[in-house]
Coordinates of all heavy atoms in Angstrom, one line a residue:
G345 N 52.5 -43.3 -48.4 CA 51.2 -42.7 -48.8 C 50.3 -43.7 -49.4 O 50.5 -44.9 -49.4
E346 N 49.2 -43.2 -50.0 CA 48.2 -44.1 -50.6 C 48.8 -44.7 -52.0 O 49.5 -44.0 -52.6 CB 46.9 -43.3 -51.0 CG 46.3 -42.5 -49.8 CD 45.6 -43.4 -48.8 OE1 45.3 -44.6 -49.1 OE2 45.2 -42.9 -47.7
K347 N 48.3 -45.9 -52.3 CA 48.8 -46.4 -53.6 C 48.4 -45.6 -54.8 O 49.2 -45.4 -55.7 CB 48.3 -47.8 -53.8 CG 48.8 -48.5 -55.1 CD 48.2 -49.9 -55.2 CE 48.8 -50.6 -56.4 NZ 48.5 -49.9 -57.7
A348 N 47.2 -45.0 -54.8 CA 46.7 -44.2 -55.8 C 47.6 -42.9 -56.0 O 47.8 -42.4 -57.1 CB 45.3 -43.8 -55.6
Y349 N 48.1 -42.4 -54.9 CA 49.0 -41.3 -54.9 C 50.3 -41.6 -55.7 O 50.7 -40.8 -56.6 CB 49.4 -41.0 -53.5 CG 50.4 -39.9 -53.2 CD1 50.3 -38.6 -53.6 CD2 51.5 -40.2 -52.4 CE1 51.2 -37.6 -53.3 CE2 52.5 -39.3 -52.1 CZ 52.3 -38.0 -52.6 OH 53.3 -37.0 -52.3
Y350 N 50.9 -42.7 -55.5 CA 52.1 -43.1 -56.2 C 51.8 -43.5 -57.6 O 52.6 -43.2 -58.5 CB 52.8 -44.2 -55.5 CG 53.3 -43.8 -54.1 CD1 53.0 -44.5 -53.0 CD2 54.1 -42.7 -53.9 CE1 53.4 -44.1 -51.7 CE2 54.5 -42.3 -52.7 CZ 54.2 -43.0 -51.6 OH 54.6 -42.6 -50.3
D351 N 50.7 -44.1 -57.9 CA 50.3 -44.4 -59.3 C 50.2 -43.1 -60.1 O 50.6 -43.0 -61.2 CB 48.9 -45.1 -59.3 CG 49.0 -46.5 -58.8 OD1 50.2 -47.0 -58.7 OD2 48.0 -47.1 -58.5
A352 N 49.6 -42.0 -59.5 CA 49.4 -40.7 -60.2 C 50.8 -40.1 -60.4 O 51.0 -39.5 -61.5 CB 48.5 -39.8 -59.4
L353 N 51.7 -40.2 -59.4 CA 53.0 -39.6 -59.6 C 53.8 -40.3 -60.7 O 54.5 -39.7 -61.4 CB 53.8 -39.7 -58.2 CG 53.3 -38.7 -57.1 CD1 54.0 -39.0 -55.8 CD2 53.6 -37.3 -57.6
N354 N 53.7 -41.7 -60.7 CA 54.4 -42.4 -61.8 C 54.0 -41.9 -63.2 O 54.8 -41.7 -64.1 CB 54.0 -43.9 -61.7 CG 54.9 -44.6 -60.8 OD1 56.1 -44.4 -60.7 ND2 54.4 -45.6 -60.0
E401 N 51.2 -47.2 -48.0 CA 52.2 -47.9 -48.8 C 53.5 -47.2 -48.8 O 53.6 -46.0 -48.6 CB 51.7 -48.1 -50.3 CG 50.3 -48.8 -50.4 CD 50.5 -50.3 -49.9 OE1 51.5 -50.8 -50.1 OE2 49.4 -50.8 -49.4
H406 N 56.5 -48.5 -54.9 CA 55.5 -48.2 -55.9 C 55.9 -47.2 -56.9 O 55.3 -47.2 -58.0 CB 54.2 -47.7 -55.2 CG 53.5 -48.8 -54.4 ND1 52.6 -49.7 -55.0 CD2 53.5 -49.1 -53.1 CE1 52.2 -50.5 -54.1 NE2 52.7 -50.2 -52.9
Q565 N 48.3 -32.9 -55.1 CA 48.0 -34.4 -55.1 C 47.6 -34.9 -53.7 O 48.2 -34.4 -52.7 CB 49.1 -35.2 -55.6 CG 49.6 -34.9 -57.1 CD 50.6 -33.7 -57.1 OE1 51.4 -33.6 -56.2 NE2 50.4 -32.9 -58.1
T566 N 46.6 -35.7 -53.6 CA 46.2 -36.3 -52.3 C 47.2 -37.4 -52.0 O 47.2 -38.5 -52.7 CB 44.8 -36.8 -52.4 OG1 43.9 -35.7 -52.6 CG2 44.4 -37.5 -51.1
A567 N 47.9 -37.3 -50.9 CA 48.8 -38.3 -50.4 C 48.2 -39.2 -49.4 O 48.4 -40.5 -49.4 CB 50.0 -37.6 -49.7
E569 N 44.3 -40.1 -47.4 CA 42.9 -39.9 -47.2 C 42.7 -39.8 -45.7 O 43.2 -40.8 -45.0 CB 42.1 -41.0 -47.8 CG 42.0 -41.0 -49.3 CD 41.2 -39.8 -49.9 OE1 40.5 -39.1 -49.1 OE2 41.2 -39.7 -51.1

Side-chain angles (χ1 to χ4, degrees):
E346 309 282 348
K347 183 179 183 300
Y349 172 60
Y350 296 124
D351 289 343
L353 286 172
N354 274 322
E401 300 296 330
H406 291 279
Q565 299 85 38
T566 296
E569 292 287 352

